[in-house]
Amino acid sequence: VSNAGVGMVGPLECQSLAAMQSLMDTNFFGLVRLVKEVLPDMKRRRGGHIVVISSIMGLQGIVFNDVYAASKFAVEGFCESLVVQALRFNVAISLVEPGPVTTEFETKVYEEAERADYSRTDPETADIFTNLYLRNSKDVFASLGQTPEDIAEHTLRVIEAVRPPFRHQTNVAYTPMAALKHADPSGALMTDAFYKLVFKYDAVLRLSLR
């Protein structure tokens, strides 16, 4: 089970390349290093199961989570490419894709975001992040957040499955969000829906979450 991860939220201009590279080294290359270690023996034994804790943000990018989403997209692409070869050797690969999970991990990320310096971006972007994104995120976690124990139960079901699924989403509230991308390959439907949700109907979003 590959579960190591770090988070990053905020305006892109306020994040250093060194911090981005460090995040990718943990979230993506950490997985790659692990798989390179365990896969050869699994192939020799012609059996095994690699379970990767991904994210719904590996399927759908979320505003102000640019680099974190990129790392999870990399994880998804890596596993999607590898799974066909792995199956030839009777090795299963499963991606567990949670939405928001209420842990110290998330608390620390958002506490750091509230204290960060946003002088390197324009005032409008800083205002959108602090007064729209951070405020709505708290409501999202309060309303839709899962517990670590819930994610552990989902992961256990994936591990124990007779035919392990390649993808397993833990929060049904996010299924429509992922479905928007498949409904319109041009991306226009998804982009328009998220733009309106963030900038036109944010009051309705907060009310529905509460």
Side-chain angles (χ1 to χ4, degrees), residues 35 40 50 52 65 70 112 121-122 136 149 168 175 188 205:
V35 171
I50 298 169
V52 181
N65 284 267
E112 289 176 352
T121 190
D122 60 277
N136 286 341
E149 291 77 15
H168 176 81
T175 302
L205 170 64

Side-chain angles (χ1 to χ4, degrees), residues 112-153:
E112 289 176 352
E114 289 177 343
R115 296 192 302 266
D117 175 17
Y118 299 113
S119 60
R120 283 174 289 174
T121 190
D122 60 277
E124 184 176 0
T125 299
D127 181 67
I128 292 168
F129 177 66
T130 55
N131 293 319
L132 273 181
Y133 175 83
L134 287 180
R135 182 175 58 180
N136 286 341
S137 291
K138 291 178 180 178
D139 290 340
V140 166
F141 273 86
S143 178
L144 301 177
Q146 293 177 275
T147 66
E149 291 77 15
D150 192 18
I151 303 304
E153 289 293 335

Side-chain angles (χ1 to χ4, degrees), residues 63-137:
V63 63
F64 292 120
N65 284 267
D66 323 270
V67 180
Y68 179 78
S71 73
K72 292 301 184 177
F73 266 71
V75 163
E76 295 270 336
F78 174 73
C79 292
E80 193 170 278
S81 298
L82 192 62
V83 67
V84 174
Q85 178 205 147
L87 287 172
R88 177 69 177 177
F89 294 88
N90 195 38
V91 175
I93 296 177
S94 297
L95 289 156
V96 177
E97 299 163 334
V101 184
T102 307
T103 65
E104 291 181 8
F105 172 94
E106 301 292 348
T107 302
K108 181 181 177 184
V109 167
Y110 285 97
E111 284 178 351
E112 289 176 352
E114 289 177 343
R115 296 192 302 266
D117 175 17
Y118 299 113
S119 60
R120 283 174 289 174
T121 190
D122 60 277
E124 184 176 0
T125 299
D127 181 67
I128 292 168
F129 177 66
T130 55
N131 293 319
L132 273 181
Y133 175 83
L134 287 180
R135 182 175 58 180
N136 286 341
S137 291

Side-chain angles (χ1 to χ4, degrees), residues 5 28 33 51 62 70 89 101 105 114 132 140 169 177 189 204:
F28 175 61
R33 287 192 290 269
V51 180
I62 302 293
F89 294 88
V101 184
F105 172 94
E114 289 177 343
L132 273 181
V140 166
Q169 294 174 24
M177 183 178 78
L189 179 62
V204 175

